[in-house]
Amino acid sequence: MVPFTFGDDRIESLAAGADLRVARVGAAVALLGRADEDPLPLVVGGFDGLDPAQGARPVGASEFLKGVVLVEDGPALMPRSNPCAVSLPDGRVVVLGGRGTSLGTTYAVPWVELITPLAGAKPTVLGLPLMPQPRVWHTCSALPDGSVLVVGGMDDSAGEPRPLTNALVVMPPPRD
């Protein structure tokens, strides 16, 4: 690793061999798994290039960063860039909104997916009810009760960009 030091803080680059399998612009990262179960960083979404007008497409594959030097396929998700991904206290991850494409046009999407880790098996992905409005460039935060607070962002799904002033709370179903 190549460390970069800023005062007492350190930023370290990943060792050789930790490159993602898919180039990603506008991806999100969240930890999948509870803290006591050695959670894995899960990279979701993004575009596979810089410009959708030039053929860049949203990525539907996710990837785990295992041991910070090994990349492994994660679960398939709805293809999009700029999603918001948040780790829940019970080890699951919620992925919300982002930008999708259709016929070369990008637009905000209302998709919500819940990723649940399973011991000894691939994680499962459950589509949750859509958000009331598509949104991109929003924030999301896990709340102590297991819900997710989603704030702000932008909706351009009807053609004209609109900043969103509302906040919502998404409550995933209980973990079985």
Side-chain angles (χ1 to χ4, degrees):
M1 286 191 236
V2 179
F4 300 93
T5 305
F6 300 98
D8 292 338
D9 297 326
R10 291 172 49 104
I11 299 174
E12 297 188 11
S13 65
L14 301 178
D19 292 339
L20 296 173
R21 295 178 180 176
V22 176
R24 295 171 187 264
V25 176
V29 178
L31 292 176
L32 182 65
R34 293 192 330 237
D36 62 346
E37 295 175 338
D38 197 21
L40 292 174
L42 178 65
V43 182
V44 299
F47 280 110
D48 65 3
L50 296 176
D51 187 356
Q54 300 287 324
R57 295 169 304 174
V59 178
S62 64
E63 299 177 87
F64 288 112
L65 295 175
K66 296 186 79 173
V68 193
V69 295
L70 176 65
V71 176
E72 180 179 286
D73 289 339
L77 301 170
M78 295 298 290
R80 61 191 183 257
S81 74
N82 304 101
C84 190
V86 63
S87 303
L88 300 178
D90 65 8
R92 299 179 297 170
V93 168
V94 178
V95 182
L96 305 108
R99 289 188 86 62
T101 64
S102 178
L103 304 172
T105 302
T106 64
Y107 54 91
V109 296
W111 304 325
V112 180
E113 292 169 299
L114 177 65
I115 305 167
T116 302
L118 298 173
K122 288 274 189 190
T124 62
V125 178
L126 175 65
L128 297 181
L130 301 176
M131 289 185 289
Q133 305 163 283
R135 50 180 81 221
V136 63
W137 304 320
H138 51 294
T139 64
C140 57
S141 301
L143 299 176
D145 67 356
S147 63
V148 177
L149 175 64
V150 182
V151 178
M154 188 263 302
D155 177 6
D156 63 353
S157 61
E160 187 66 30
R162 293 180 315 136
L164 301 173
T165 58
N166 63 344
L168 12 132
V169 175
V170 174
M171 177 57 86
R175 187 171 181 166
D176 292 336

